[in-house]
Amino acid sequence: MIKNATGYPCPSCGTTRAIQLLIKNNWMASLQMNPFGIVVAILMVVLPLWIVLDTITKKETFFKSYKKAEAVIRTKWLAIFLIILVLLNWIWNLKKGL
């Protein structure tokens, strides 16, 4: 949508295609398409399993870990680092002409 409106790809453009390449066991092409794809693919597998496990065991480990992760991500230095990563990924997408 962003590319259609502005003519420029968003920082996450190519993530779906990167996941499709991972499913086809083409790791390098996936990484080149968009490094976020690997992170998203891992999260798409691990998080639902974790939530189901918590539901079965009637624990709240996912929720507690989420709250801790949220607090850590809100620290200034890590937030700046993550923003820089997103900007670098966006530059990568622009350079590739996605």
Side-chain angles (χ1 to χ4, degrees):
M1 224 177 350
I2 291 175
K3 187 172 183 179
N4 289 338
T6 66
Y8 297 103
C10 66
S12 64
C13 272
T15 302
T16 301
R17 287 173 279 176
I19 292 171
Q20 289 171 336
L21 289 165
L22 276 176
I23 291 169
K24 294 177 182 174
N25 204 25
N26 196 340
W27 290 81
M28 284 310 293
S30 173
L31 188 60
Q32 291 170 343
M33 176 60 68
N34 192 327
F36 286 166
I38 294 173
V39 174
V40 170
I42 291 168
L43 292 175
M44 286 172 53
V45 170
V46 171
L47 297 184
L49 293 174
W50 190 355
I51 292 168
V52 167
L53 183 63
D54 265 4
T55 302
I56 291 169
T57 60
K58 298 182 180 177
K59 294 184 178 179
E60 292 186 345
T61 61
F62 176 81
F63 179 72
K64 290 175 185 175
S65 295
Y66 172 82
K67 295 302 273 180
K68 286 180 187 176
E70 185 179 33
V72 169
I73 289 171
R74 287 179 183 251
T75 60
K76 189 175 182 177
W77 68 269
L78 185 57
I80 291 170
F81 176 73
L82 293 173
I83 289 168
I84 289 170
L85 281 180
V86 170
L87 290 174
L88 289 172
N89 194 63
W90 195 10
I91 292 167
W92 171 256
N93 282 344
L94 291 169
K95 185 174 178 161
K96 289 185 306 186
L98 260 185

